[in-house]
Amino acid sequence: MPALAEIRNHLVSAKLTIPELNEQLYFETNHWIEKLFNGISSDKSGIALVGIGGFGRAELTIGSDLDLLLLHSANMSNSASEIAEKIWYPIWDSGVGLDHSVRTIEQTLKLAETDLRVLFGLLDMRLVAGDAELTQNLNDRVLQLWRKSFNKRLPEIIEADHQRQDSYGDLAHLQNPNLKESRGGLRDLVTLSAIAKSWQVEVGLNSLQQAKRTLLNARSALHLVSGKSIDLLSQDYQAEVADKLGYRSTDELLKDIYKSARTISFSYQNAIRNASYLTKKSGIFSGRSKARRPVADGVVVIDNQIQLAINHEPSHSLLLRVAIAAAEHELGVNPETLKNLLASENTFTWDDNKRALFLSLLASGPGLIESWEALDQVGAIDLILPQWQPIRFAPQRNSVHQFTVDRHLIQTVVEASKLTTSVARPDILLMAALLHDIGKARMEDHSVLGAQLAVEITEQMGFSRLDRELIESLVRHHLLLAETATKRDLDDVSTIELVMENVKSQYVLTLLHQLTIADAYATSSIASSNWRLKLIDQLVDLIKKSLTGEGVVAEPDLRDDLEIDSHSIGISIQFDGNEYLIRTSVPDSPGVLAKVAGLLALNRLLVRSAKTKTIKDRAVSQWHIQPLFGETPSIDLLRSELNRVIQGSIDVAKLLKEREESAILQSKIVAPPKVVFPKVESRFTVVEVRAHDAPGLLYRIANQIAKQDLDIAAAIVSTLGATVDDVFYILNKSGEKLSSQQQAELSQAVLAELRL
């Protein structure tokens, strides 16, 4: 009989598709183990080899362990141990992982009573070879144990799953998802299968088969291309996995995975809710009749569940009212109820009532997330909002985002719902929040395309022409305030004028401001950090003064008010929220920004944001930093090193190069660097550098600018996730803006440096 390793190697080299490989791998492995057992034990009475867990479910990948139980009767203990060794050793020799045990029925049940994982594995048991009657006996008793103890063990299941899900995150949104352990992953399917076998809750496992196949195939391809038994589908492997599975791009792969995860999560949430409800209902008061509490026309709450009133009239309006009730009360609703209401009319036609209901749904707060997902899962969103389809499950490639495109929009609406009292038109704010990224997942500028789609959608919904134009403007310019505040010099009058070209009134400004805040909070804690929101607030305040006819006072954003020591060095450190604020004042000189940035890099201080400005003969700067390790160095040490760096006694370039060469692991640069010269009215040449973040990056950029014999009059530095966006205000040595030739040379030099 050939070794198992030979069989597996042959299958891997046979150029099978991933589904074919999985099927053949299971069949050949099972057949090989069965022959091994039969060759060892001719008498099958009282002993059986049982597959449990993934092997029991016939879910085998090239990286899967084999989970085997050698089950025996009490009088076969000695023989069982001998047989076990003859089975385990050939499997170990093949290099396949093995989780093994040798037990009687009573021993197995005793362990299952205390270990939930053991019990779950046994629920998927399957006879591989040996005594079928013995195996069936164990299977019957395991199911009996499970069904008897289900209500008691449900809280334990929920707690264990929640701890796991919180640790591994949400598979439906992660850019580097764990296919097994994350919320919506394969482990949740195991829980759902176990719940279904309790016979107490209808799970609908058949509807999850496609989602299951998608995740299993992705996991199998991951094992194959990585050569490892791993479940984390990192960006390093996504392209190869996508190619193995026949996807045209990694985005297509992730979109399918996210869709599957959302389907599983939705079923899991419903199953847990229903199981918890039935568990409570089976208590001492279960015989009492339950009161119906009306919450909307045709909608009632019974036993903390949204249900239809007895004499309801099915319609799409009722569908929206059910969704609103579920969102406002944060209660579940049976998907079949939603499906029936959706099917009550052939087409969805907007009218004033439906538009008002839809806006009420958007204003419902945090409960909107689950309610919208319920509508989406039954196909209602595709009918109500056909333009939504391209962004469903669409991945975000910017690491600053924590959600897929569609989920981000709903989160933005939730955040905007907290701000509706701050604007005169909350309906406009909510619609702009819902549509601001509707143009993503296409090969066009998402703000421009989104604005066009916003006009189309709001016209279908019946908004007035003026309202359509306002929503269109908000969608088109939803990035304006954030990008201007974090990338432009607020002391430059042209910055204010840039915004005012697109924002003509305080009415519009207030809406755009609140939309910007909602968008930031929905994106991530990085995008909504204190310093970013403060910059946006400052910009809005300046624009408001101009819009109301007040003069814009160009108060300097930075002040040269630090105490200067005998070496003409000023420095301070203070803790500012979750970051440190370092302020410096040093004599202005060529390359001074690069020197200060290099000092921070040498001390492993990560720059989250920064501003610099030349005030008379001083270079003044402030830095929001986070230590890569531990705490910040003492102010005395930084002062001493800053003086040495300014004097040139520390070779920053050499030390940073040595550190880079000694690094064990370098992060991969996902996107190529770019140098942009925005067309803005300014007395400076504005240069914007976008690149993947790396230690010493700001030093390298500023050093190249200095090498071009150019003067940095001011700079604004932003770090969002793994991407930096640095904006420099530059003059040449003659005090003039850069010529086209100088711009080209600077761009070439910076790009050459960043591509090293």
Side-chain angles (χ1 to χ4, degrees), residues 681-741:
E681 290 296 329
S682 175
R683 63 190 182 93
F684 302 102
T685 295
V686 180
V687 183
E688 185 176 345
V689 181
R690 304 168 187 165
H692 192 78
D693 196 14
L697 182 69
L698 178 57
Y699 164 77
R700 293 164 62 192
I701 297 171
N703 193 43
Q704 283 300 317
I705 295 174
K707 286 183 177 180
Q708 298 297 309
D709 205 22
L710 302 174
D711 181 33
I712 300 174
I716 301 174
V717 177
S718 301
T719 304
L720 296 175
T723 304
V724 298
D725 199 327
D726 298 345
V727 179
F728 302 91
Y729 291 76
I730 298 176
L731 295 174
N732 60 27
K733 279 302 176 184
S734 300
E736 301 172 341
K737 296 174 70 172
L738 276 60
S739 66
S740 298
Q741 178 65 26

Side-chain angles (χ1 to χ4, degrees), residues 417-525:
S417 71
K418 304 173 186 178
L419 307 171
T420 50
T421 57
S422 301
V423 296
R425 290 290 303 274
D427 54 339
I428 299 296
L429 174 63
L430 292 170
M431 283 302 301
L434 180 69
L435 302 178
H436 74 277
D437 278 349
I438 192 76
K440 281 190 172 181
R442 286 96 156 175
M443 300 301 292
E444 300 179 49
D445 184 323
H446 82 276
S447 296
V448 175
L449 177 59
Q452 298 168 2
L453 291 171
V455 172
E456 176 184 314
I457 292 167
T458 52
E459 184 174 9
Q460 292 169 353
M461 292 180 69
F463 281 91
S464 69
R465 179 182 61 81
L466 291 178
D467 285 351
R468 294 198 303 269
E469 291 176 355
L470 180 52
I471 294 170
E472 185 269 346
S473 178
L474 292 172
V475 172
R476 183 181 299 274
H477 301 300
H478 72 271
L479 296 174
L480 179 62
L481 295 182
E483 289 193 342
T484 303
T486 57
K487 297 180 181 180
R488 302 288 178 257
D489 185 359
L490 300 189
D491 298 335
D492 190 337
V493 174
S494 65
T495 298
I496 309 304
E497 294 173 347
L498 173 67
V499 178
M500 290 177 57
E501 288 178 6
N502 300 292
V503 180
K504 304 297 186 181
S505 68
Q506 283 207 35
Y507 175 73
V508 177
L509 177 63
T510 301
L511 281 166
L512 187 60
H513 186 199
Q514 300 308 310
L515 174 60
T516 303
I517 293 171
D519 188 15
Y521 278 114
T523 299
S524 65
S525 58

Side-chain angles (χ1 to χ4, degrees), residues 598-618:
L599 169 68
L600 298 177
L602 287 174
N603 283 276
R604 291 186 169 89
L605 300 176
L606 304 179
V607 178
R608 309 312 303 172
S609 67
K611 280 192 172 185
T612 72
K613 192 172 185 178
T614 300
I615 300 178
K616 296 182 179 179
D617 60 347
R618 308 285 299 177

Side-chain angles (χ1 to χ4, degrees), residues 8 15 135 350 442 458 612 629 653 658-659 664 729:
R8 291 163 63 89
K15 297 183 179 180
T135 305
W350 286 103
R442 286 96 156 175
T458 52
T612 72
F629 306 111
E658 291 175 353
R659 177 175 295 171
I664 298 175
Y729 291 76

Side-chain angles (χ1 to χ4, degrees), residues 135-174:
T135 305
Q136 188 62 49
N137 187 8
L138 175 62
N139 186 64
D140 292 344
R141 293 183 65 180
V142 166
L143 287 172
Q144 183 182 26
L145 170 65
W146 171 235
R147 289 162 186 162
K148 182 179 179 181
S149 62
F150 176 74
N151 289 350
K152 180 181 178 181
R153 305 199 77 163
L154 183 60
E156 180 186 355
I157 297 169
I158 295 173
E159 176 63 23
D161 279 357
H162 283 180
Q163 288 183 5
R164 167 179 54 81
Q165 293 163 353
D166 290 344
S167 296
Y168 288 93
D170 198 330
L171 175 55
H173 304 292
L174 293 168

